Amino acid sequence: MTLWRIRATVDDRPGYLSVLTASLALRGVNILTVQVHTTEVGAVDDFLVDAPDSLDEAELVAAVERGRGRDCWVARSEARGLADQPTRVLGLATRLVRNPDATGEVLRTLLGADEVTWRSTPVSGGVTGTTMALPDPTGGSYVLSRVAPTFTPAEYARAQALAELAATAARRAADQVTLVLPDGAELVVRPAGADDLAGALELHRRCSARTRQRRYLGGAALPAPARLRRLLEPTQGLTLVATTTGSGGAAEPVVAMANLLAEGDEAEVALLVRDDWQRRGLGAALLRRLVGHAERAGLAALVLHVQAGNAPMLRTLARLARPTATERDGALVTVTVSLVATRGARGGAGPGPVGGAPVAPAAAGPSGYAERGRPETQKRLPSVSASTTYGEAPGSSCAG
């Protein structure tokens, strides 16, 4: 007996599937598993069958067509095809949680794609024959292709779910470190989440009107909770928060927040540092971490909009010691910081954002601070399109 995969479209009418299975049974074909994909043109039935060695591909196609099946695709299968489909998908999901950068290879395995390519250009997503365009929630898109069979809406939904899982895992797996400032103060820097909303609101309340105005440029009013929630967990983007550590390592208030919003090969950066933590090196530390993320993502430049009177922030940018271009429009200065892109493979999906080298424990940074904690894991940088800036000017707080 030989294992085969058969895919065919059958009219979604009572009894039609039984006609097809009966036709296969007459040729001694044993159906081991079946998946049904609902489409606009009918039900696409995907079978794993055990057929007599004497049957070839043409005979199997003929049996399907006699059973009122159409658009038939037949290919030999392997024993691993016997694995329970839900168990197989759960195994792939587990792999993504452990290594979000394996998204390309996981999609290839899930869908039996011949080629998976990651592109920096976002797409709306969809299926066209044997090509699937899938938005990457962390920015860009995947393009999957195979010779046959055509992709189905059900397969697109599965791929989309795994891509979203990978994006969530990437955000959570982003490096968390203990930051030691030049004055000896210790802070935890990590990706933000929905649970940080209360802390972010308190951060804004404890910032002076001047600091908030420098961050948002358009005014000093407290942002609405819904607006902050979008900043903490953007659909596509990255936000870092810095918190103090209490006794026993318990989390304490959020004292700073840093946003990176990317569009194409550039990204806008915004910082907000509580007044009593300014001029202590925290803003510079957060900015350097965002620079590292952006470079590993393959971005070409960072753009910051700074008030001309915000001398501390301008000095912080100067201390990056990187090529910059400055444009002034009245009281607003736009600074473009050039980056050195370090692109790498994205789980077999071609060029794209990846994680960087491990961080040496307690290694002093250029501004005199040090980091210690777990090494960075290979990851992708979530990026964001201009449509998700929610109408606010990025701004830059005093970052001392």
Side-chain angles (χ1 to χ4, degrees):
M1 302 292 280
T2 305
L3 292 176
W4 294 84
R5 271 193 65 198
I6 300 174
R7 179 174 287 194
T9 302
V10 179
D11 288 342
D12 194 9
R13 297 170 60 183
Y16 271 55
L17 177 58
S18 64
V19 173
L20 174 56
T21 58
S23 179
L24 291 173
L26 288 174
R27 301 306 304 269
V29 177
N30 181 30
I31 297 175
L32 302 176
T33 66
V34 60
Q35 297 181 59
V36 180
H37 305 250
T38 303
T39 71
E40 295 179 352
V41 297
V44 176
D45 298 323
D46 196 332
F47 301 96
L48 177 66
V49 303
D50 192 7
D53 294 335
S54 58
L55 289 182
D56 60 19
E57 180 178 332
E59 291 174 303
L60 287 171
V61 171
V64 169
E65 292 176 345
R66 281 195 297 271
R68 298 183 180 178
R70 62 183 184 275
D71 301 326
C72 184
W73 171 81
V74 177
R76 286 185 179 272
S77 186
E78 300 176 355
R80 63 183 178 181
L82 293 170
D84 175 67
Q85 183 67 9
T87 302
R88 179 169 170 266
V89 173
L90 286 173
L92 293 174
T94 300
R95 181 179 175 187
L96 278 182
V97 170
R98 293 175 177 170
N99 180 18
D101 263 354
T103 304
E105 187 57 37
V106 166
L107 290 173
R108 186 198 307 273
T109 302
L110 173 70
L111 301 175
D114 298 314
E115 185 178 6
V116 180
T117 304
W118 183 85
R119 298 176 179 175
S120 60
T121 306
V123 297
S124 58
V127 170
T128 305
T130 57
T131 300
M132 177 186 296
L134 180 70
D136 182 351
T138 64
S141 59
Y142 290 98
V143 177
L144 299 86
S145 62
R146 64 189 182 196
V147 175
T150 58
F151 289 111
T152 67
E155 288 179 309
Y156 179 86
R158 294 170 187 170
Q160 188 178 43
L162 282 183
E164 291 172 353
L165 173 63
T168 300
R171 294 186 187 106
R172 293 187 177 182
D175 54 310
Q176 174 176 313
V177 299
T178 298
L179 188 69
V180 183
L181 299 180
D183 60 8
E186 293 189 5
L187 296 167
V188 173
V189 177
R190 58 174 174 78
D195 293 342
D196 292 308
L197 178 59
L201 284 168
E202 183 62 21
L203 165 65
H204 283 74
R205 293 190 189 100
R206 297 189 63 179
C207 284
S208 65
R210 182 189 185 197
T211 292
R212 291 196 300 269
Q213 203 276 336
R214 282 180 166 179
R215 161 59 179 87
Y216 294 102
L217 300 180
L222 291 172
R227 186 182 189 186
L228 271 183
R229 189 178 294 110
R230 292 194 295 266
L231 283 175
L232 289 170
E233 276 197 324
T235 302
Q236 297 179 336
L238 175 66
T239 293
L240 297 176
V241 293
T243 65
T244 59
T245 55
S247 58
E252 293 292 330
V254 175
V255 299
M257 184 172 72
N259 306 103
L260 187 147
L261 309 175
E263 179 183 3
D265 62 354
E266 292 187 345
E268 293 186 354
V269 167
L271 305 176
L272 178 68
V273 179
R274 208 172 73 186
D275 292 61
D276 55 330
W277 284 90
Q278 294 176 13
R279 295 176 176 83
R280 298 173 66 177
L282 176 54
L286 290 173
L287 181 59
R288 290 184 184 280
R289 294 197 69 76
L290 292 183
V291 168
H293 277 290
E295 288 187 328
R296 291 189 295 273
L299 298 176
L302 296 181
V303 178
L304 296 94
H305 303 290
V306 187
Q307 288 182 341
N310 192 350
M313 187 63 194
L314 295 174
R315 286 196 299 268
T316 297
L317 290 170
R319 286 197 293 268
L320 286 175
R322 292 172 182 269
T324 61
T326 303
E327 295 182 9
R328 181 163 181 171
D329 182 7
L332 183 67
V333 177
T334 298
V335 181
T336 302
V337 182
S338 298
L339 303 177
V340 179
T342 55
R343 288 186 180 271
R346 290 173 56 117
V354 297
V359 176
S367 297
Y369 60 86
E371 296 173 354
R372 64 170 182 253
R374 70 188 184 202
E376 292 180 342
T377 55
Q378 290 292 100
K379 56 192 173 291
R380 295 168 305 162
L381 171 69
S383 59
V384 69
S385 65
S387 62
T388 57
T389 57
Y390 313 114
E392 63 190 347
S396 297
S397 75
C398 177

